[in-house]
Amino acid sequence: MSPTEPHQLPVTRLTGIGSQTAARLQKLGIQTLQDLLFHLPQRYQDRTRTYPIAGLTPGTTALVCGNVEYIDTPQRGRNSVICRISDASGLLSLRFFHFSVQQIQQLRPGTQLSCFGDVRMGFNGLEMVHPEYRILHAGDDPTETSLTPVYPLTEGLAQSTMRKAVRQALELCLSHADALQDWLPTAIRHHYNYPDLVEALLTLHNPPADLSAETLANGELPALKRLAFEEFLAHHLALLLGKQHYKTWQAPTLRVNSAAKQRFLSELPFRLTAAQQRVIAEIEADCSLAHPMLRLVQGDVGSGKTLVAALAALAALSSGYQVALMAPTELLAEQHFRNFSHWFAHTGTPVFFLSGQVKGKARATTLEALADGSAGLVIGTHALFQDSVNFHKLGLVIIDEQHRFGVQQRLALRAKGQTTGKVPHQLVMTATPIPRTLAMLQYSDLDISVIDELPPGRTPVTTSVVPSERRAEVIARISHWAGQNRQAYWVCTLIEESEQLQCEAAENTARYLQESLPDVRIGLVHGRMKAADKDAVMQAFKQGDCDLLVATTVIEVGVDVPNAGLMIIENPERLGLSQLHQLRGRVGRGNLESYCLLLYQSPLSETGRQRLGILRESNDGFVIAEKDLELRGPGEIIGNRQTGQIQFKIADLGRDRELLDDVQTAAQRICREHPEAINPLIKRWTGGSLQNLDELFHTVYSP
Ligand code: ADP
Ligand code: MG
């Protein structure tokens, strides 16, 4: 594609777009004409017909025509101008708070006006506040032939500027046959009854007057579906391509040493579940091949993923290769470090630890051991894939709690194995169950295993939804609970996405709870504490020297204290369901009964109520994830989990999820029948994010 193709031209080529407007458009991610065309209206206004004034109802938005009857200029004590207009059916007041002398002069009685605005009930009957109005001359028709788009804007950018720019871009693309080529193969387009690309864009930017507002608002329009479909398809293809590419590389063949494995299992205080055994077998089979494994293990909280990882590690170690396990938080990395140290003690393999907190001599020693190969097993945070870390013979990379890491980080860690001329196998584990269709899109570059069984003897957590007015009761319950020598968590959720505020809130809560509960031993952990302090608090809690742990969502993943069977989550309405489920997974770890109280801030919205209800009714992470997706409104972002996930321009995983199955079928068909469309589609849609992926694949893996 040459950069001079019309749709690739910079927006500054349009009349009326100077450098200042271009800078504002850039804030919306718009640089080229194509970007502009893919910037869709958020809603539409209907100016295709005029309404008789008598037919207006408050709360609607309408176009009316009328004669100015009189204009009431401001007097002392009142700061608005009221102009009354009439048509054959009735009278309407127009109210202006800002006005110029010239404006008042224009609105002389007898002047014919068209007005567009929101209708409301005023003191003197129906009125419009600051309507858009135009003075009509004989023969003027105030109506428009298509619905008027309303675009998302940014500071300093006028709706009219945006409309004019889009109109020009559309005209330009219509007048050049080669502009904005439709890369969705015709056969596929016809199969799903989709309009072609330009037609779809025309419909969305200038919808015909007969389209119902409802069809437009609920995203059912084939024109919109087509674009969402194409966008999903492009991302899916990019990931598939990445996977294919990766699978052509060489990886070490790892062989399971049965004796070592038997010994390892015999040291455990329990037997593997059937699901764990099945997934371990899948991993071992992958790793025995000369091509890299790329496998995602999904399993609900507490399903025993860590042990699956440990057995994969054992296979790599007994084949003479190094293993790196990366966790998303310091806390979780430390916990894995302790578990692995314990599990591998009998093997004589030392376990190393690396995080940003490991500094000075300790760091230097670890880096050296990794580089010369004397360290076989290392556990840490993302510090593991910094440039300064070199491995001698990395054979397996394990990433825990995948949803925290993006595609990019996944790739960067894969690249670490290169020194051997081979790339490492990669195992990714996530405790946030992803609905099947969604997983197929987000993780098309991975094969998927599911641990669909919990170890025996777990008692399900009883969840209640409690309004914050009953806080005192909840606090009394903690005192009673601690009196029975059981432990509890109090989780303070995210405030305004600011870690600092979140930590302050946790500090205040801990102080307040301590005042209310003088006999309860309260500990506090949050993300801004020093690692050593955090560790001390966690250890105290683990050993039962602390009854109540007040925490931010840092404790969400991994923390394992079976005696802690009560969790209070404050403001649960702020978090996504999967995240809440994950948090709740901290309790119910032993065989004692356990409880989770969702202490919400009332009033709760209808969706909020439904959401929390799902959590009360189900303990199954997969069910919860499906329902969460169903309840998601278009464009709604829940929690702060979007980092690392694919960002879509037009498609919406909630609204458009029913397309995902077809996307998969279409992708296979394109790979078979229309390979020439693959690259242009990927380029068109994944520009910023996945084009980088492609580059990464090439720079990192080209021999
Ligand atoms: P998750 O899948 O959430 O990461 P973990 O790996 O932390 O779960 O396991 C949760 C707990 O269950 C740990 O204490 C672990 O030792 C224990 N566990 C793992 N597998 C089994 C099993 N087969 N039987 C009994 N307990 C198990
Ligand atoms: Mg885990």
Side-chain angles (χ1 to χ4, degrees):
M1 236 185 280
S2 83
T4 49
E5 278 179 53
H7 64 278
Q8 296 292 11
L9 292 174
V11 284
T12 43
R13 295 295 278 272
L14 301 173
T15 341
I17 310 275
S19 59
Q20 198 177 27
T21 310
R24 287 175 182 146
L25 287 169
Q26 167 116 49
K27 285 201 185 125
L28 295 165
I30 302 172
Q31 289 178 323
T32 65
L33 299 194
Q34 175 179 294
D35 296 337
L36 194 59
L37 292 174
F38 285 174
H39 185 71
L40 298 184
Q42 63 200 131
R43 57 192 177 83
Y44 301 91
Q45 296 169 342
D46 185 359
R47 303 174 196 223
T48 62
R49 58 200 147 148
T50 53
Y51 282 82
I53 288 174
L56 296 177
T57 44
T60 55
T61 306
L63 180 68
V64 295
C65 284
N67 252 309
V68 176
E69 290 295 319
Y70 67 86
I71 178 153
D72 194 3
T73 44
Q75 288 150 2
R76 228 166 301 148
R78 197 163 52 75
N79 56 358
S80 61
V81 162
I82 295 184
C83 172
R84 300 272 273 174
I85 63 166
S86 71
D87 64 4
S89 74
L91 276 172
L92 176 71
S93 306
L94 314 178
R95 187 185 288 272
F96 299 91
F97 293 100
H98 320 280
F99 42 85
S100 62
V101 176
Q102 187 205 14
Q103 201 174 6
I104 294 169
Q105 284 166 353
Q106 272 186 338
L107 297 175
R108 276 189 307 275
T111 310
Q112 180 77 10
L113 292 183
S114 72
C115 304
F116 182 83
D118 299 330
V119 183
R120 65 172 209 183
M121 192 49 85
F123 292 115
N124 270 318
L126 294 176
E127 66 176 25
M128 282 184 183
V129 178
H130 278 276
E132 289 173 43
Y133 70 90
R134 221 172 87 198
I135 294 171
L136 297 177
H137 302 287
D140 282 357
D141 179 1
T143 61
E144 291 178 11
T145 49
S146 56
L147 299 177
T148 311
V150 180
Y151 293 98
L153 297 172
T154 184
E155 176 120 21
L157 193 63
Q159 197 59 248
S160 55
T161 310
M162 188 67 120
R163 284 180 192 147
K164 253 183 253 159
V166 172
R167 205 172 309 138
Q168 285 182 66
L170 276 172
E171 276 161 16
L172 225 128
C173 286
L174 278 176
S175 60
H176 287 76
D178 62 338
L180 217 55
Q181 184 166 351
D182 193 347
W183 286 108
L184 197 60
T186 319
I188 289 178
R189 190 155 60 70
H190 286 170
H191 185 261
Y192 297 107
N193 271 328
Y194 287 143
D196 72 32
L197 181 59
V198 172
E199 191 185 333
L201 290 171
L202 277 172
T203 307
L204 289 165
H205 289 289
N206 295 308
D210 56 359
L211 271 183
S212 84
E214 207 175 303
T215 315
L216 283 167
N218 63 20
E220 291 304 318
L221 209 61
L224 183 63
K225 287 288 172 202
R226 180 234 135 94
L227 293 178
F229 184 87
E230 187 178 327
E231 186 170 26
F232 280 152
L233 184 67
H235 283 275
H236 184 49
L237 285 169
L239 287 171
L240 281 182
L241 221 65
K243 176 180 175 180
Q244 270 178 17
H245 199 80
Y246 189 67
K247 289 273 182 186
T248 62
W249 293 98
Q250 296 296 307
T253 42
L254 307 181
R255 283 182 222 296
V256 178
N257 175 331
S258 321
K261 186 172 168 184
Q262 284 319 315
R263 172 80 204 277
F264 189 94
L265 292 176
S266 71
E267 296 280 332
L268 294 175
F270 45 72
R271 293 165 59 91
L272 296 180
T273 62
Q276 282 172 317
Q277 287 177 27
R278 192 191 66 241
V279 172
I280 290 165
E282 285 166 354
I283 294 168
E284 288 172 352
D286 280 358
C287 294
S288 69
L289 303 176
H291 298 293
M293 162 175 78
L294 280 174
R295 190 166 282 281
L296 175 73
V297 173
Q298 285 201 52
D300 211 341
V301 209
S303 60
K305 291 181 291 292
T306 322
L307 201 59
V308 168
L311 280 149
L314 184 69
L317 290 167
S318 21
S319 307
Y321 282 91
Q322 291 174 298
V323 178
L325 190 162
M326 173 170 76
T329 65
E330 186 93 15
L331 210 61
L332 188 55
E334 283 162 14
Q335 183 168 296
H336 283 328
F337 174 70
R338 273 192 293 275
N339 279 331
F340 274 67
S341 301
H342 179 66
W343 287 333
F344 282 86
H346 74 271
T347 67
T349 308
V351 184
F352 286 75
F353 184 78
L354 189 67
S355 76
Q357 309 275 354
V358 178
K359 295 193 175 105
K361 192 150 184 292
R363 184 180 183 82
T365 314
T366 303
L367 291 185
E368 211 178 289
L370 289 173
D372 69 19
S374 54
L377 180 51
V378 64
I379 293 176
T381 58
H382 44 269
L384 283 174
F385 63 80
Q386 281 162 359
D387 287 342
S388 56
V389 185
N390 292 304
F391 290 89
H392 176 63
K393 229 181 151 186
L394 185 59
L396 173 67
V397 168
I398 304 169
I399 304 179
D400 194 19
E401 308 300 349
Q402 147 70 16
H403 57 283
R404 293 289 188 89
F405 296 108
V407 171
Q408 304 284 340
Q409 284 163 307
R410 225 145 74 198
L411 287 169
L413 201 52
R414 279 178 208 165
K416 285 287 179 200
Q418 278 182 341
T419 44
T420 56
K422 294 180 176 177
V423 291
H425 295 284
Q426 188 169 322
L427 182 65
V428 167
M429 303 191 292
T430 175
T432 305
I434 309 154
R436 193 189 55 80
T437 40
L438 205 61
M440 152 255 132
L441 184 76
Q442 305 264 38
Y443 302 119
S444 337
D445 59 335
L446 305 169
D447 297 309
I448 297 179
S449 293
V450 181
I451 309 183
D452 50 5
E453 181 187 358
L454 293 181
R458 300 262 167 92
T459 13
V461 183
T462 308
T463 301
S464 325
V465 180
V466 185
S468 50
E469 287 80 10
R470 287 171 51 198
R471 176 181 288 257
E473 244 173 82
V474 171
I475 294 175
R477 190 155 163 192
I478 296 177
S479 151
H480 182 70
W481 185 259
Q484 296 176 314
N485 288 324
R486 300 272 328 256
Q487 291 163 281
Y489 298 99
W490 184 292
V491 185
C492 304
T493 58
L494 198 76
I495 294 170
E496 309 263 304
E497 315 243 326
S498 147
E499 200 195 10
Q500 185 180 343
L501 287 177
Q502 193 183 20
C503 297
E504 280 169 17
E507 278 164 6
N508 292 336
T509 306
R511 207 172 305 126
Y512 168 81
L513 287 172
Q514 190 66 80
E515 279 162 20
S516 326
L517 297 166
D519 297 334
V520 172
R521 295 166 301 169
I522 298 182
L524 170 69
V525 278
H526 61 61
R528 296 209 147 196
M529 285 164 63
K530 284 210 196 79
D533 297 343
K534 231 173 7 190
D535 211 36
V537 175
M538 286 313 296
Q539 278 308 336
F541 190 63
K542 264 201 153 162
Q543 288 160 13
D545 299 337
C546 161
D547 306 305
L548 175 66
L549 185 64
V550 176
T552 56
T553 48
V554 293
I555 60 139
E556 175 187 337
V557 282
V559 176
D560 195 15
V561 181
N563 186 47
L566 172 63
M567 173 175 281
I568 293 103
I569 305 179
E570 259 195 292
N571 305 314
E573 67 277 8
R574 287 186 186 144
L575 300 185
L577 282 193
S578 293
Q579 198 178 356
L580 287 167
H581 175 63
Q582 178 88 14
L583 276 168
R584 180 174 62 175
R586 299 311 107 218
V587 294
R589 299 226 136 204
N591 45 14
L592 298 165
E593 86 279 26
S594 49
Y595 303 90
C596 176
L597 309 183
L598 303 173
L599 191 59
Y600 67 85
Q601 199 66 49
S602 42
L604 205 54
S605 70
E606 176 56 23
T607 331
R609 207 180 53 75
Q610 283 183 31
R611 271 211 189 106
L612 298 185
I614 291 170
L615 219 59
R616 188 181 50 214
E617 301 307 321
S618 178
N619 268 301
D620 181 330
F622 282 91
V623 171
I624 292 169
E626 285 284 356
K627 294 257 163 93
D628 195 14
L629 194 60
E630 265 169 44
L631 279 182
R632 245 188 227 208
E636 205 173 338
I637 293 171
I638 300 167
N640 62 338
R641 274 318 179 59
Q642 301 303 305
T643 39
Q645 294 186 2
I646 302 172
Q647 301 290 324
F648 298 104
K649 286 200 236 306
I650 290 177
D652 182 292
L653 283 171
R655 183 192 65 200
D656 303 320
R657 67 182 180 283
E658 87 282 356
L659 300 177
L660 292 171
D661 275 329
D662 290 341
V663 164
Q664 204 169 9
T665 322
Q668 280 157 12
R669 187 161 168 197
I670 289 186
C671 290
R672 270 196 321 269
E673 300 168 19
H674 311 279
E676 73 289 348
I678 296 176
N679 268 324
L681 279 171
I682 293 179
K683 279 226 177 81
R684 168 165 290 163
W685 290 97
T686 67
S689 57
L690 286 173
Q691 198 162 337
N692 293 348
L693 177 145
D694 208 44
E695 274 162 26
L696 245 171
F697 265 110
H698 285 103
T699 52
V700 168
Y701 298 119
S702 295

